[in-house]
Amino acid sequence: MSTPLASALSPQSPAAGASDAAAIAPRILSRPRFAVLVFAGVYPLVTALLYLVAPLTRGWTFWQQTLVIVPVVVVTMVWGLIPFLHRRFSAFLHPVRKPSAG
């Protein structure tokens, strides 16, 4: 039995007019590619937040400054950056794996 949720979460997406082998080729998240994209998004976010927070927290210890910055980074990543990356770069993040011969 196929449910809408199961089909939405399925890593396989057969293309119209594709050969049978290509239609069943799994699409698996490329962790190295995902790591590069997350780095490219998080680095400017953290840098900008440090520049914004530093004047407001002058005299605070480092752990206190990061205590202010980390929740903003986490919320931005979970509800903004990572969903955006998955939508925008889906084909790049989930390349079609060619079935091995044999």
Side-chain angles (χ1 to χ4, degrees), residues 62-72:
F62 187 69
W63 72 266
Q64 291 170 324
Q65 290 177 333
T66 57
L67 187 63
V68 171
I69 291 173
V70 169
V72 176

Side-chain angles (χ1 to χ4, degrees), residues 6-7 10-12 19 26 30 35 41 59 61 71 92:
S7 63
S10 174
Q12 297 179 3
S19 69
S30 171
T61 59
F92 176 72

Side-chain angles (χ1 to χ4, degrees), residues 18-87:
S19 69
D20 290 341
I24 60 171
R27 295 178 61 103
I28 300 171
L29 175 68
S30 171
R31 290 180 190 262
R33 291 178 180 191
F34 183 61
V36 168
L37 286 176
V38 169
F39 175 83
V42 169
Y43 178 76
L45 174 64
V46 170
T47 303
L49 285 173
L50 284 170
Y51 277 111
L52 290 172
V53 171
L56 303 173
T57 58
R58 196 171 313 276
W60 291 19
T61 59
F62 187 69
W63 72 266
Q64 291 170 324
Q65 290 177 333
T66 57
L67 187 63
V68 171
I69 291 173
V70 169
V72 176
V73 171
V74 170
V75 167
T76 303
M77 286 179 60
V78 170
W79 281 285
L81 180 67
I82 291 176
F84 170 77
L85 292 175
H86 275 287
R87 276 192 311 272

